[in-house]
Amino acid sequence: MERIRQILLSRPAEHPTVQVIRYGLIAGCGYLLAIAIYSGELAIGISPYAALGVAFVLNGLFNFAFIRIWAFPPSGRAVRSDLTRFAIVAAVSFVFNYASFAVLYSGIGLGASTSQRLAILIAAPVTFLLNRLWSFRSHPHRA
């Protein structure tokens, strides 16, 4: 139990296993947030495709803040630099998400909410790897 507490509360997360656990917890919370926002947008009549963007941006801001603070060790770069890298990865992730959603929703005929839930899960591994290996990778001249 003490080891679990250390994993969850220690900072920074240098070990890859700890990074995966922390990233997974943040992504899980972000997933719930994104689905809640998306469902709310659908409920007020926003089209399924248009609703993707708003939910994605709000979820991205949530994820960036917590991933930078808790999931990965400090990169040694300025917040702006990390945010720029994160935004580029988010754009790549959005392409995966949007394409997956289109196939599931328009191609296969699943409901909008189900398609979005699955699309997020399809894009998640790509997002994790790009964030870990590039967005938040330690700067070589980190203090």
Side-chain angles (χ1 to χ4, degrees):
M1 190 63 164
E2 180 60 28
R3 180 70 181 137
I4 292 172
R5 191 180 75 71
Q6 288 175 339
I7 287 172
L8 293 176
L9 299 178
S10 66
R11 188 170 186 261
E14 297 286 346
H15 195 277
T17 302
V18 176
Q19 292 173 6
V20 170
I21 291 168
R22 288 180 177 187
Y23 190 93
L25 290 169
I26 294 165
C29 292
Y31 176 83
L32 294 174
L33 175 66
I35 294 304
I37 293 168
Y38 186 73
S39 297
E41 291 177 289
L42 294 178
I44 63 171
I46 297 175
S47 79
Y49 283 100
L52 290 174
V54 174
F56 197 82
V57 168
L58 293 175
N59 179 48
L61 293 171
F62 170 86
N63 284 342
F64 174 75
F66 286 99
I67 288 169
R68 188 170 194 276
I69 291 168
W70 194 56
F72 298 121
S75 68
R77 289 184 297 274
V79 172
R80 184 176 177 177
S81 178
D82 281 351
L83 181 58
T84 300
R85 288 170 171 245
F86 182 85
I88 292 167
V89 168
V92 170
S93 177
F94 186 73
V95 169
F96 273 87
N97 184 292
Y98 197 87
S100 300
F101 177 83
V103 168
L104 295 167
Y105 181 67
S106 296
I108 296 175
L110 294 177
S113 291
T114 301
S115 296
Q116 177 58 353
R117 287 182 180 115
L118 293 172
I120 291 171
L121 295 175
I122 290 167
V126 172
T127 306
F128 170 77
L129 288 173
L130 291 174
N131 277 323
R132 184 175 185 277
L133 299 175
W134 188 64
S135 299
F136 298 102
R137 182 187 73 217
S138 294
H139 188 275
H141 303 295
R142 173 175 111 181

